[in-house]
Amino acid sequence: MNDSKRAVVLLGGGVRLSNAQEELLSWLKVYNIPVVYSLMGKDAISEDYEYNMGLIGSYGNRYGNLTLANSDLILVLGSRLDTRQTGTNLETFAREAKIIQVDIDKDELGSKIKVDIEINSDILSFINEIKDEELNINTKEWLETISMYKNEFSSIVGIDKSSKSNYFKNIRISK
């Protein structure tokens, strides 16, 4: 992780199943690491976490998917990386990213997509192991970039119609 300039943590249902939410949030806040989540990982992170980039995949938001696509390291915690997250063309999924997948089910490790490091572990145990490791990562520029993604490509309808967000105008339909 120390070599990464654009790290992101992808949360799956395994975070909740291991009751690792509090420990994970504490660890993320120390280093200001952005997160995205799968559908099953939605409740694994607080919506109030400043660098929560939201749901990814075919049902996800644009800025979360951009964060994942442009990362150089993905720490996958308790997610099986199915096609709803990765898409069907696996060669285009996070092309520049090293992938570390942590899962308690060893049969899920690397089963859907090639990963660089497979760690067979309960998520809470994994977080407890790494939380005392001193990381020397600088996320400042990356956080500025993903904040721009969130501002530019937010799905929330706002008052500012001049932004490039997914804004829908009132459309008059005639019969």
Side-chain angles (χ1 to χ4, degrees):
M1 287 193 81
N2 287 330
D3 295 333
S4 173
K5 303 282 186 240
R6 301 182 317 273
V8 65
V9 177
L10 168 55
L11 308 177
V15 174
R16 179 181 26 81
L17 291 173
S18 68
N19 293 313
Q21 298 95 312
E22 287 182 33
E23 289 81 357
L24 174 64
L25 183 59
S26 295
W27 179 75
L28 290 168
K29 285 181 174 181
V30 169
Y31 297 105
N32 295 322
I33 301 173
V35 299
V36 293
Y37 51 80
S38 70
L39 189 58
M40 295 301 292
K42 180 172 178 29
D43 60 352
I45 189 73
S46 169
E47 291 292 329
D48 296 331
Y49 177 56
E50 184 175 2
Y51 305 113
N52 180 346
M53 299 303 287
L55 180 65
I56 53 107
S58 56
Y59 303 113
N61 66 62
R62 196 167 176 191
Y63 56 87
N65 283 320
L66 283 168
T67 299
L68 195 64
N70 291 297
S71 64
D72 65 359
L73 176 75
I74 304 170
L75 176 59
V76 182
L77 299 177
S79 177
R80 60 189 179 146
L81 295 172
D82 67 23
T83 56
R84 285 174 290 185
Q85 298 163 29
T86 63
T88 55
N89 185 355
L90 300 179
E91 292 179 15
T92 63
F93 177 74
R95 290 177 285 222
E96 296 181 17
K98 299 267 190 239
I99 301 174
I100 302 169
Q101 186 180 19
V102 183
D103 205 293
I104 196 166
D105 184 349
K106 67 179 178 185
D107 292 329
E108 290 296 347
L109 295 170
S111 68
K112 309 282 190 295
I113 192 167
K114 181 190 175 297
V115 299
D116 297 284
I117 299 173
E118 299 174 357
I119 301 172
N120 184 213
S121 175
D122 173 76
I123 303 304
L124 181 59
S125 298
F126 176 77
I127 296 297
N128 284 331
E129 283 287 321
I130 66 167
K131 71 180 180 183
D132 295 328
E133 296 290 325
E134 186 69 31
L135 293 179
N136 184 23
I137 59 175
N138 182 352
T139 58
K140 186 176 187 289
E141 285 183 37
W142 179 228
L143 294 175
E144 290 171 4
T145 300
I146 67 169
S147 292
M148 182 271 301
Y149 294 158
K150 198 168 190 175
N151 289 332
E152 290 285 320
F153 303 110
S154 178
S155 298
I156 298 171
V157 176
I159 296 171
D160 181 10
K161 296 177 187 174
S162 65
S163 75
K164 295 178 183 174
S165 66
N166 299 335
Y167 188 85
F168 293 95
K169 295 181 180 181
N170 291 333
I171 298 172
R172 184 176 174 181
I173 300 173
S174 59
K175 294 183 180 182

PDB file of all heavy atoms in Angstrom, residues 3 5 9 22 24-25 40 42-43 46-47 54 56 60 65 83 90 92 103 106 123 130 134 145 160 162:
ATOM      1  N   ASP A   3       3.301   1.985  -1.808  1.00  0.00           N
ATOM      2  CA  ASP A   3       3.648   2.388  -3.169  1.00  0.00           C
ATOM      3  C   ASP A   3       2.457   2.957  -3.931  1.00  0.00           C
ATOM      4  O   ASP A   3       2.620   3.522  -5.002  1.00  0.00           O
ATOM      5  CB  ASP A   3       4.213   1.193  -3.949  1.00  0.00           C
ATOM      6  CG  ASP A   3       5.532   0.706  -3.382  1.00  0.00           C
ATOM      7  OD1 ASP A   3       6.258   1.514  -2.779  1.00  0.00           O
ATOM      8  OD2 ASP A   3       5.831  -0.489  -3.533  1.00  0.00           O
ATOM      9  N   LYS A   5      -0.591   5.330  -5.070  1.00  0.00           N
ATOM     10  CA  LYS A   5      -0.950   6.755  -5.100  1.00  0.00           C
ATOM     11  C   LYS A   5      -2.457   6.934  -5.188  1.00  0.00           C
ATOM     12  O   LYS A   5      -2.976   8.013  -4.951  1.00  0.00           O
ATOM     13  CB  LYS A   5      -0.302   7.446  -6.312  1.00  0.00           C
ATOM     14  CG  LYS A   5       1.199   7.334  -6.365  1.00  0.00           C
ATOM     15  CD  LYS A   5       1.843   8.305  -5.425  1.00  0.00           C
ATOM     16  CE  LYS A   5       3.341   8.298  -5.591  1.00  0.00           C
ATOM     17  NZ  LYS A   5       4.048   7.943  -4.395  1.00  0.00           N
ATOM     18  N   VAL A   9     -10.591   1.047  -1.127  1.00  0.00           N
ATOM     19  CA  VAL A   9     -11.028  -0.180  -0.467  1.00  0.00           C
ATOM     20  C   VAL A   9     -12.431  -0.486  -0.972  1.00  0.00           C
ATOM     21  O   VAL A   9     -13.310   0.377  -0.943  1.00  0.00           O
ATOM     22  CB  VAL A   9     -11.012  -0.031   1.070  1.00  0.00           C
ATOM     23  CG1 VAL A   9     -11.543  -1.287   1.733  1.00  0.00           C
ATOM     24  CG2 VAL A   9      -9.606   0.286   1.568  1.00  0.00           C
ATOM     25  N   GLU A  22     -16.745  -1.047  12.766  1.00  0.00           N
ATOM     26  CA  GLU A  22     -16.127  -0.008  13.603  1.00  0.00           C
ATOM     27  C   GLU A  22     -14.617   0.012  13.444  1.00  0.00           C
ATOM     28  O   GLU A  22     -14.011   1.080  13.304  1.00  0.00           O
ATOM     29  CB  GLU A  22     -16.497  -0.220  15.072  1.00  0.00           C
ATOM     30  CG  GLU A  22     -17.930   0.129  15.386  1.00  0.00           C
ATOM     31  CD  GLU A  22     -18.247  -0.051  16.858  1.00  0.00           C
ATOM     32  OE1 GLU A  22     -17.356   0.164  17.702  1.00  0.00           O
ATOM     33  OE2 GLU A  22     -19.405  -0.399  17.157  1.00  0.00           O
ATOM     34  N   LEU A  24     -12.845  -1.133  10.972  1.00  0.00           N
ATOM     35  CA  LEU A  24     -12.523  -0.713   9.613  1.00  0.00           C
ATOM     36  C   LEU A  24     -12.601   0.800   9.484  1.00  0.00           C
ATOM     37  O   LEU A  24     -11.691   1.437   8.962  1.00  0.00           O
ATOM     38  CB  LEU A  24     -13.458  -1.383   8.607  1.00  0.00           C
ATOM     39  CG  LEU A  24     -13.310  -0.918   7.164  1.00  0.00           C
ATOM     40  CD1 LEU A  24     -11.939  -1.277   6.609  1.00  0.00           C
ATOM     41  CD2 LEU A  24     -14.421  -1.491   6.309  1.00  0.00           C
ATOM     42  N   LEU A  25     -13.684   1.386   9.964  1.00  0.00           N
ATOM     43  CA  LEU A  25     -13.856   2.839   9.877  1.00  0.00           C
ATOM     44  C   LEU A  25     -12.726   3.558  10.600  1.00  0.00           C
ATOM     45  O   LEU A  25     -12.178   4.543  10.085  1.00  0.00           O
ATOM     46  CB  LEU A  25     -15.216   3.252  10.435  1.00  0.00           C
ATOM     47  CG  LEU A  25     -15.557   4.731  10.329  1.00  0.00           C
ATOM     48  CD1 LEU A  25     -15.555   5.206   8.882  1.00  0.00           C
ATOM     49  CD2 LEU A  25     -16.915   4.996  10.978  1.00  0.00           C
ATOM     50  N   MET A  40     -23.943  -5.812  -1.393  1.00  0.00           N
ATOM     51  CA  MET A  40     -23.945  -6.492  -0.099  1.00  0.00           C
ATOM     52  C   MET A  40     -23.104  -5.762   0.957  1.00  0.00           C
ATOM     53  O   MET A  40     -23.218  -6.039   2.139  1.00  0.00           O
ATOM     54  CB  MET A  40     -23.440  -7.932  -0.250  1.00  0.00           C
ATOM     55  CG  MET A  40     -24.350  -8.804  -1.098  1.00  0.00           C
ATOM     56  SD  MET A  40     -26.024  -8.924  -0.451  1.00  0.00           S
ATOM     57  CE  MET A  40     -25.737  -9.851   1.036  1.00  0.00           C
ATOM     58  N   LYS A  42     -23.140  -2.372   1.344  1.00  0.00           N
ATOM     59  CA  LYS A  42     -23.682  -1.025   1.552  1.00  0.00           C
ATOM     60  C   LYS A  42     -23.705  -0.603   3.014  1.00  0.00           C
ATOM     61  O   LYS A  42     -23.365   0.523   3.344  1.00  0.00           O
ATOM     62  CB  LYS A  42     -25.084  -0.921   0.959  1.00  0.00           C
ATOM     63  CG  LYS A  42     -25.687   0.464   1.140  1.00  0.00           C
ATOM     64  CD  LYS A  42     -26.971   0.615   0.389  1.00  0.00           C
ATOM     65  CE  LYS A  42     -27.635   1.950   0.576  1.00  0.00           C
ATOM     66  NZ  LYS A  42     -26.836   3.099   0.844  1.00  0.00           N
ATOM     67  N   ASP A  43     -24.083  -1.508   3.897  1.00  0.00           N
ATOM     68  CA  ASP A  43     -24.172  -1.143   5.309  1.00  0.00           C
ATOM     69  C   ASP A  43     -22.872  -1.394   6.073  1.00  0.00           C
ATOM     70  O   ASP A  43     -22.847  -1.320   7.291  1.00  0.00           O
ATOM     71  CB  ASP A  43     -25.331  -1.875   5.975  1.00  0.00           C
ATOM     72  CG  ASP A  43     -25.207  -3.381   5.909  1.00  0.00           C
ATOM     73  OD1 ASP A  43     -24.306  -3.872   5.212  1.00  0.00           O
ATOM     74  OD2 ASP A  43     -26.019  -4.067   6.546  1.00  0.00           O
ATOM     75  N   SER A  46     -20.239   3.819   7.083  1.00  0.00           N
ATOM     76  CA  SER A  46     -21.142   4.932   7.350  1.00  0.00           C
ATOM     77  C   SER A  46     -21.248   5.849   6.135  1.00  0.00           C
ATOM     78  O   SER A  46     -20.249   6.151   5.482  1.00  0.00           O
ATOM     79  CB  SER A  46     -20.613   5.735   8.546  1.00  0.00           C
ATOM     80  OG  SER A  46     -21.321   6.944   8.679  1.00  0.00           O
ATOM     81  N   GLU A  47     -22.453   6.284   5.840  1.00  0.00           N
ATOM     82  CA  GLU A  47     -22.652   7.267   4.773  1.00  0.00           C
ATOM     83  C   GLU A  47     -21.952   8.585   5.122  1.00  0.00           C
ATOM     84  O   GLU A  47     -21.674   9.389   4.246  1.00  0.00           O
ATOM     85  CB  GLU A  47     -24.141   7.509   4.537  1.00  0.00           C
ATOM     86  CG  GLU A  47     -24.874   6.346   3.925  1.00  0.00           C
ATOM     87  CD  GLU A  47     -24.477   6.053   2.485  1.00  0.00           C
ATOM     88  OE1 GLU A  47     -24.122   6.983   1.743  1.00  0.00           O
ATOM     89  OE2 GLU A  47     -24.517   4.871   2.111  1.00  0.00           O
ATOM     90  N   GLY A  54     -19.468   5.399  -2.452  1.00  0.00           N
ATOM     91  CA  GLY A  54     -20.738   4.767  -2.753  1.00  0.00           C
ATOM     92  C   GLY A  54     -20.676   3.452  -3.502  1.00  0.00           C
ATOM     93  O   GLY A  54     -19.638   2.814  -3.643  1.00  0.00           O
ATOM     94  N   ILE A  56     -20.783   0.646  -6.354  1.00  0.00           N
ATOM     95  CA  ILE A  56     -20.129   0.489  -7.653  1.00  0.00           C
ATOM     96  C   ILE A  56     -20.844  -0.582  -8.475  1.00  0.00           C
ATOM     97  O   ILE A  56     -21.741  -1.249  -7.992  1.00  0.00           O
ATOM     98  CB  ILE A  56     -18.631   0.126  -7.491  1.00  0.00           C
ATOM     99  CG1 ILE A  56     -18.427  -1.093  -6.573  1.00  0.00           C
ATOM    100  CG2 ILE A  56     -17.865   1.297  -6.953  1.00  0.00           C
ATOM    101  CD1 ILE A  56     -18.045  -2.321  -7.292  1.00  0.00           C
ATOM    102  N   GLY A  60     -24.384   0.886  -9.620  1.00  0.00           N
ATOM    103  CA  GLY A  60     -23.702   1.904  -8.830  1.00  0.00           C
ATOM    104  C   GLY A  60     -23.744   3.284  -9.440  1.00  0.00           C
ATOM    105  O   GLY A  60     -24.327   3.516 -10.504  1.00  0.00           O
ATOM    106  N   ASN A  65     -17.758   4.336  -9.601  1.00  0.00           N
ATOM    107  CA  ASN A  65     -17.155   3.527 -10.654  1.00  0.00           C
ATOM    108  C   ASN A  65     -15.892   4.177 -11.207  1.00  0.00           C
ATOM    109  O   ASN A  65     -14.915   3.490 -11.506  1.00  0.00           O
ATOM    110  CB  ASN A  65     -18.165   3.253 -11.767  1.00  0.00           C
ATOM    111  CG  ASN A  65     -19.161   2.176 -11.380  1.00  0.00           C
ATOM    112  OD1 ASN A  65     -18.812   1.179 -10.766  1.00  0.00           O
ATOM    113  ND2 ASN A  65     -20.427   2.389 -11.729  1.00  0.00           N
ATOM    114  N   THR A  83     -19.803 -10.255 -11.632  1.00  0.00           N
ATOM    115  CA  THR A  83     -19.902  -9.447 -12.846  1.00  0.00           C
ATOM    116  C   THR A  83     -20.738  -8.180 -12.674  1.00  0.00           C
ATOM    117  O   THR A  83     -20.574  -7.244 -13.448  1.00  0.00           O
ATOM    118  CB  THR A  83     -20.478 -10.267 -14.024  1.00  0.00           C
ATOM    119  OG1 THR A  83     -21.736 -10.807 -13.638  1.00  0.00           O
ATOM    120  CG2 THR A  83     -19.536 -11.363 -14.440  1.00  0.00           C
ATOM    121  N   LEU A  90     -13.575  -8.587 -18.291  1.00  0.00           N
ATOM    122  CA  LEU A  90     -12.700  -8.462 -17.124  1.00  0.00           C
ATOM    123  C   LEU A  90     -11.396  -7.732 -17.419  1.00  0.00           C
ATOM    124  O   LEU A  90     -10.777  -7.186 -16.509  1.00  0.00           O
ATOM    125  CB  LEU A  90     -12.416  -9.847 -16.537  1.00  0.00           C
ATOM    126  CG  LEU A  90     -13.658 -10.616 -16.076  1.00  0.00           C
ATOM    127  CD1 LEU A  90     -13.266 -11.981 -15.535  1.00  0.00           C
ATOM    128  CD2 LEU A  90     -14.454  -9.823 -15.069  1.00  0.00           C
ATOM    129  N   THR A  92     -11.088  -4.954 -18.832  1.00  0.00           N
ATOM    130  CA  THR A  92     -11.264  -3.514 -18.670  1.00  0.00           C
ATOM    131  C   THR A  92     -11.496  -3.103 -17.217  1.00  0.00           C
ATOM    132  O   THR A  92     -11.573  -1.917 -16.918  1.00  0.00           O
ATOM    133  CB  THR A  92     -12.451  -3.005 -19.526  1.00  0.00           C
ATOM    134  OG1 THR A  92     -13.652  -3.613 -19.063  1.00  0.00           O
ATOM    135  CG2 THR A  92     -12.234  -3.312 -20.996  1.00  0.00           C
ATOM    136  N   ASP A 103     -10.865 -12.630   1.917  1.00  0.00           N
ATOM    137  CA  ASP A 103     -12.164 -13.267   2.086  1.00  0.00           C
ATOM    138  C   ASP A 103     -12.003 -14.502   2.965  1.00  0.00           C
ATOM    139  O   ASP A 103     -10.986 -15.191   2.893  1.00  0.00           O
ATOM    140  CB  ASP A 103     -12.752 -13.677   0.737  1.00  0.00           C
ATOM    141  CG  ASP A 103     -14.265 -13.765   0.780  1.00  0.00           C
ATOM    142  OD1 ASP A 103     -14.797 -14.652   1.483  1.00  0.00           O
ATOM    143  OD2 ASP A 103     -14.917 -12.946   0.114  1.00  0.00           O
ATOM    144  N   LYS A 106     -12.145 -19.329   1.012  1.00  0.00           N
ATOM    145  CA  LYS A 106     -10.979 -19.462   0.129  1.00  0.00           C
ATOM    146  C   LYS A 106     -11.389 -19.753  -1.311  1.00  0.00           C
ATOM    147  O   LYS A 106     -10.645 -19.447  -2.241  1.00  0.00           O
ATOM    148  CB  LYS A 106     -10.023 -20.524   0.650  1.00  0.00           C
ATOM    149  CG  LYS A 106     -10.553 -21.923   0.619  1.00  0.00           C
ATOM    150  CD  LYS A 106      -9.547 -22.921   1.129  1.00  0.00           C
ATOM    151  CE  LYS A 106     -10.201 -24.307   1.104  1.00  0.00           C
ATOM    152  NZ  LYS A 106      -9.388 -25.318   1.662  1.00  0.00           N
ATOM    153  N   ILE A 123     -12.530 -10.833   7.932  1.00  0.00           N
ATOM    154  CA  ILE A 123     -12.216  -9.415   7.746  1.00  0.00           C
ATOM    155  C   ILE A 123     -11.819  -8.746   9.059  1.00  0.00           C
ATOM    156  O   ILE A 123     -10.855  -7.981   9.108  1.00  0.00           O
ATOM    157  CB  ILE A 123     -13.392  -8.661   7.081  1.00  0.00           C
ATOM    158  CG1 ILE A 123     -13.761  -9.309   5.744  1.00  0.00           C
ATOM    159  CG2 ILE A 123     -13.060  -7.184   6.903  1.00  0.00           C
ATOM    160  CD1 ILE A 123     -12.642  -9.426   4.736  1.00  0.00           C
ATOM    161  N   ILE A 130      -3.650  -5.609  10.538  1.00  0.00           N
ATOM    162  CA  ILE A 130      -2.997  -4.508   9.822  1.00  0.00           C
ATOM    163  C   ILE A 130      -3.103  -3.162  10.522  1.00  0.00           C
ATOM    164  O   ILE A 130      -2.363  -2.239  10.192  1.00  0.00           O
ATOM    165  CB  ILE A 130      -3.526  -4.369   8.380  1.00  0.00           C
ATOM    166  CG1 ILE A 130      -4.996  -3.948   8.361  1.00  0.00           C
ATOM    167  CG2 ILE A 130      -3.273  -5.629   7.585  1.00  0.00           C
ATOM    168  CD1 ILE A 130      -5.490  -3.502   7.004  1.00  0.00           C
ATOM    169  N   GLU A 134       2.328   0.541  10.346  1.00  0.00           N
ATOM    170  CA  GLU A 134       2.495   1.950   9.999  1.00  0.00           C
ATOM    171  C   GLU A 134       2.562   2.085   8.484  1.00  0.00           C
ATOM    172  O   GLU A 134       3.479   1.579   7.855  1.00  0.00           O
ATOM    173  CB  GLU A 134       3.771   2.515  10.630  1.00  0.00           C
ATOM    174  CG  GLU A 134       3.957   4.000  10.436  1.00  0.00           C
ATOM    175  CD  GLU A 134       2.960   4.842  11.206  1.00  0.00           C
ATOM    176  OE1 GLU A 134       2.517   4.412  12.290  1.00  0.00           O
ATOM    177  OE2 GLU A 134       2.631   5.939  10.737  1.00  0.00           O
ATOM    178  N   THR A 145      -8.873  14.365  -6.628  1.00  0.00           N
ATOM    179  CA  THR A 145      -9.409  13.813  -7.874  1.00  0.00           C
ATOM    180  C   THR A 145     -10.776  13.182  -7.651  1.00  0.00           C
ATOM    181  O   THR A 145     -11.729  13.458  -8.399  1.00  0.00           O
ATOM    182  CB  THR A 145      -8.441  12.773  -8.469  1.00  0.00           C
ATOM    183  OG1 THR A 145      -7.188  13.407  -8.731  1.00  0.00           O
ATOM    184  CG2 THR A 145      -8.992  12.156  -9.745  1.00  0.00           C
ATOM    185  N   ASP A 160     -27.956  23.707  -9.046  1.00  0.00           N
ATOM    186  CA  ASP A 160     -27.016  24.202 -10.046  1.00  0.00           C
ATOM    187  C   ASP A 160     -27.174  23.404 -11.341  1.00  0.00           C
ATOM    188  O   ASP A 160     -26.637  22.320 -11.477  1.00  0.00           O
ATOM    189  CB  ASP A 160     -25.589  24.088  -9.514  1.00  0.00           C
ATOM    190  CG  ASP A 160     -24.571  24.611 -10.519  1.00  0.00           C
ATOM    191  OD1 ASP A 160     -24.968  25.220 -11.532  1.00  0.00           O
ATOM    192  OD2 ASP A 160     -23.380  24.399 -10.292  1.00  0.00           O
ATOM    193  N   SER A 162     -25.946  24.162 -14.187  1.00  0.00           N
ATOM    194  CA  SER A 162     -24.799  24.300 -15.064  1.00  0.00           C
ATOM    195  C   SER A 162     -23.762  23.192 -14.853  1.00  0.00           C
ATOM    196  O   SER A 162     -22.853  23.046 -15.649  1.00  0.00           O
ATOM    197  CB  SER A 162     -24.129  25.664 -14.833  1.00  0.00           C
ATOM    198  OG  SER A 162     -23.590  25.705 -13.518  1.00  0.00           O
TER     199      SER A 162
END
